[in-house]
Amino acid sequence: MNIQESILSGIQLAFQNIYNHDVALDQLSLAPTRKEFEGTYTFVVFPYLKVSQTTPENTANQIGEYLKSSVSVVKGFNVVKGFLNLELNELIWLDVFKQLYGNTDLGQLQPNGQKVMVEYSSPNTNKPLHLGHLRNNFLGYSVAEILKANGYEVTKANLVNDRGIHICKSMVAYQHFGNGETPESANLKGDHLAGKYYVIFDKEYKKQIEALKAEGQSEEDAKKNAPLLLEAQEMLRKWEANDEEVVSLWKQMNAWVYDGFAKTYEKMGVNFDKFYYESDTYLLGKDIVEEGLAKGVFFKKENGSVWVDLTDEGLDEKLVLRGDGTSVYITQDMGTADLKYHDFNLDKSVYVVGNEQDYHFDVLFKIMRKLGRPYGDGLYHLSYGMVDLPSGKMKSREGTVVDADDLMQEMVDTAAHHTKELGKIDGFNEEQAAELYETLGLGALKYFLLKVDPKKRMLFNPQESIEFQGNTGPFIQYSHARIKSILRKAEQIGVDFKNPDFSGITAVEESEAGLIFLLGDFEKKIKMAGDEYSPAVIAQYLFDLAKEYNRFYADLPIFLENNPSVLAFRVALSALTAATIKKGMSLLGINVPERM
């Protein structure tokens, strides 16, 4: 039984013995005591005044006295109105530390027997990845790692949007203006080459619209009648009819794009266990439409289109199949949801998609539950907000969106400039320095995008993200490197901190206890992050831990300690902090340097 469980059991007994009232353990909770008050944990008594039938102060004092006399870890208490602040026996923290230090599965909870898929990235194969994709990929990867740490069997999936009119637009432009250009001849990544022709299509299409308007057509008619658009529509029909020439070009251009994506994903530090392709899944779902009609979940209108009525769920009627028998997005997504379950027998399926698709996923999940799917209750949309940039901070290749490759490289370059200025690469050769810049630049980018609650729209400030002070990735990375330096020095002078003897320790200092308290919270934070699908929980925890370590180090200079047991303890405490930071940052997809 850990400290919190011991105290909560004591509070449960206090209610039984003082007030003759049973309270379930899961109805009781402790909060960390606020810094301005004495104590470690606080129990709030306000919700229980009907039980105690007395004032908040009396209730807190009565429970405090009971705990002080009955629970060995509680040394004393103080009461601030209805807040019972509990002061603990300092040496208890030594026992807590020993348990944590002996844990070989740091930050890994027991397997829970459940399977979950996290689907993220979902790029279109007509253009490169952009800033929005960075938040998506970092979120998806991190949530997958956090769920793994919570004991889930996790599959990372990527549903690639590799078909449709937008893909055909790039292909048509390439046919007209490409002149056989390849990524090699253009010295461009394949995804940037495809994106180049998507932009060319848009430019030439607008020219054609203006020409048709000059001939007297309305804007609406000109948009429909522009030859390039008609060609793209015809190309899509040919693709769906499996036209050999069109399919050959489609495969060639997609292959270029996938090669480009692979390089971007490698730089991002994300990966996938399973790829689904829209070209394979877009026809799925038509059988489900027939099933839904047979079950009375769907209904057919006079024009032959099929709909679902979700008014009883607070929504409206939603089209699931067009009158001509062609699929809409929801048709495909129903089929893909079944396919995922068939492939992996999932308990949960997490879709990492921007909040502009909130309504779509609300409809999809309600349909799958109405159809009685066994996985229906495990569907979850991890909806995230847009990322904005300070005006003028970053230039995009096409002037409209910020390219992911450009932004990542700019962050690495900024990290290099900043790190050289601060002189943090003394003794590094060129290769080591380049690796450090990459670690810091991408760490800054990922941390800044992940430290904000996913649901919130956010402003990404590149300059602020790279600072070595404040709530940033580099601050935590630097704290880790600093601790590793302490551990190397301890090894050089022969401190045995891997198997320390604590027998000579007679007291635990307040800043040591504060650090152990936070270290003991790691698994609780991992569980909270998993329950909330929020890497921001881990990011905030790591920032608090790095700050607490720096406070401990400032209060108690390690190598000025003369007692060998205390010295070994403090180095061991440093080692556990470094290991926790490393594990926590890995859950965010961030590497930490060994030295700086």
Side-chain angles (χ1 to χ4, degrees), residues 89-360:
N89 178 344
E90 291 93 345
L91 285 177
I92 286 295
W93 293 111
L94 200 54
D95 294 333
V96 173
F97 175 74
K98 287 175 186 174
Q99 285 177 1
L100 294 172
Y101 204 53
N103 180 8
T104 53
D105 294 320
L106 177 68
Q108 179 59 56
L109 281 61
Q110 291 298 307
N112 61 20
Q114 292 203 11
K115 295 179 179 179
V116 60
M117 177 177 283
V118 181
E119 179 199 299
Y120 61 99
S121 200
S122 306
N124 295 326
T125 60
N126 63 321
K127 54 190 174 184
L129 303 175
H130 55 69
L131 174 58
H133 285 111
L134 288 174
R135 190 176 199 190
N136 180 299
N137 279 274
F138 297 156
L139 262 177
Y141 179 87
S142 180
V143 166
E145 293 301 307
I146 288 165
L147 291 173
K148 272 187 203 172
N150 273 281
Y152 287 94
E153 185 180 327
V154 177
T155 303
K156 298 172 185 167
N158 188 346
L159 174 61
V160 182
N161 301 305
D162 66 339
R163 65 164 289 283
I165 193 69
H166 52 294
I167 310 298
C168 292
K169 287 177 180 179
S170 290
M171 291 163 63
V172 163
Y174 182 78
Q175 279 184 329
H176 280 283
F177 311 107
N179 298 315
E181 188 175 40
T182 66
E184 291 74 27
S185 70
N187 196 27
L188 275 177
K189 281 173 78 248
D191 50 334
H192 289 144
L193 186 69
K196 170 183 168 181
Y197 286 99
Y198 188 65
V199 172
I200 288 172
F201 178 94
D202 189 56
K203 195 166 81 176
E204 297 299 324
Y205 172 54
K206 283 174 180 168
K207 283 184 193 172
Q208 290 183 351
I209 291 169
E210 291 307 313
L212 291 173
K213 281 165 66 180
E215 291 172 14
Q217 292 195 25
S218 69
E219 179 149 0
E220 191 177 337
D221 286 342
K223 283 180 176 176
K224 288 179 190 168
N225 297 329
L228 275 176
L229 180 65
L230 295 175
E231 275 190 66
Q233 290 168 341
E234 177 59 21
M235 182 175 275
L236 182 57
R237 281 190 285 274
K238 284 183 174 180
W239 182 88
E240 292 190 1
N242 211 25
D243 178 273
E244 193 175 325
E245 186 184 340
V246 169
V247 169
S248 175
L249 176 61
W250 173 76
K251 285 182 177 175
Q252 177 62 76
M253 290 187 74
N254 273 352
W256 290 340
V257 171
Y258 296 144
D259 184 60
F261 282 171
K263 292 182 174 74
T264 304
Y265 288 140
E266 185 180 4
K267 180 101 170 173
M268 283 182 189
V270 304
N271 54 35
F272 305 93
D273 306 304
K274 176 70 178 177
F275 283 88
Y276 290 103
Y277 297 91
E278 194 174 321
S279 55
D280 297 328
T281 64
Y282 82 106
L283 294 176
L284 295 176
K286 290 192 177 183
D287 290 343
I288 297 174
V289 172
E290 293 303 317
E291 176 197 337
L293 284 167
K295 286 182 173 178
V297 173
F298 301 152
F299 67 93
K300 196 173 276 193
K301 291 193 176 180
E302 287 179 7
N303 64 0
S305 60
V306 181
W307 297 70
V308 61
D309 184 356
L310 295 171
T311 50
D312 61 332
E313 302 263 10
L315 300 176
D316 50 10
E317 293 181 351
K318 176 71 179 174
L319 177 72
V320 295
L321 194 70
R322 293 191 187 98
D324 61 4
T326 57
S327 300
V328 289
Y329 272 118
I330 207 90
T331 329
Q332 170 187 301
D333 285 349
M334 290 189 299
T336 308
D338 265 10
L339 178 63
K340 289 174 171 182
Y341 181 70
H342 176 265
D343 286 349
F344 293 97
N345 192 27
L346 302 168
D347 298 285
K348 290 177 185 281
S349 191
V350 179
Y351 296 76
V352 184
V353 182
N355 57 13
E356 69 275 9
Q357 295 294 329
D358 284 354
Y359 174 76
H360 176 83

Side-chain angles (χ1 to χ4, degrees), residues 473-510:
F475 168 68
I476 297 165
Q477 290 172 315
Y478 179 58
S479 297
H480 177 269
R482 185 184 194 184
I483 299 172
K484 295 301 280 189
S485 167
I486 290 165
L487 301 185
R488 285 191 294 273
K489 182 174 178 181
E491 283 178 337
Q492 287 167 5
I493 63 174
V495 178
D496 183 7
F497 61 89
K498 289 175 183 168
N499 302 289
D501 173 14
F502 297 146
S503 59
I505 299 175
T506 55
V508 173
E509 300 291 340
E510 187 266 335

Side-chain angles (χ1 to χ4, degrees), residues 565-578:
S565 291
V566 174
L567 175 60
F569 166 54
R570 288 177 184 164
V571 175
L573 186 51
S574 301
L576 181 60
T577 304

Side-chain angles (χ1 to χ4, degrees), residues 345-417:
N345 192 27
L346 302 168
D347 298 285
K348 290 177 185 281
S349 191
V350 179
Y351 296 76
V352 184
V353 182
N355 57 13
E356 69 275 9
Q357 295 294 329
D358 284 354
Y359 174 76
H360 176 83
F361 283 104
D362 196 13
V363 169
L364 174 65
F365 298 168
K366 283 180 165 68
I367 289 173
M368 302 323 284
R369 287 167 195 146
K370 274 183 177 288
L371 289 169
R373 289 301 188 261
Y375 57 81
D377 288 337
L379 298 170
Y380 182 78
H381 175 206
L382 177 48
S383 168
Y384 63 90
M386 297 288 288
V387 185
D388 299 312
L389 282 163
S391 175
K393 285 280 184 184
M394 295 272 172
K395 292 190 174 69
S396 68
R397 184 178 280 104
E398 288 143 26
T400 51
V401 293
V402 177
D403 180 86
D405 293 316
D406 290 349
L407 180 52
M408 287 192 289
Q409 190 55 51
E410 187 152 344
M411 289 303 300
V412 173
D413 294 343
T414 303
H417 176 74

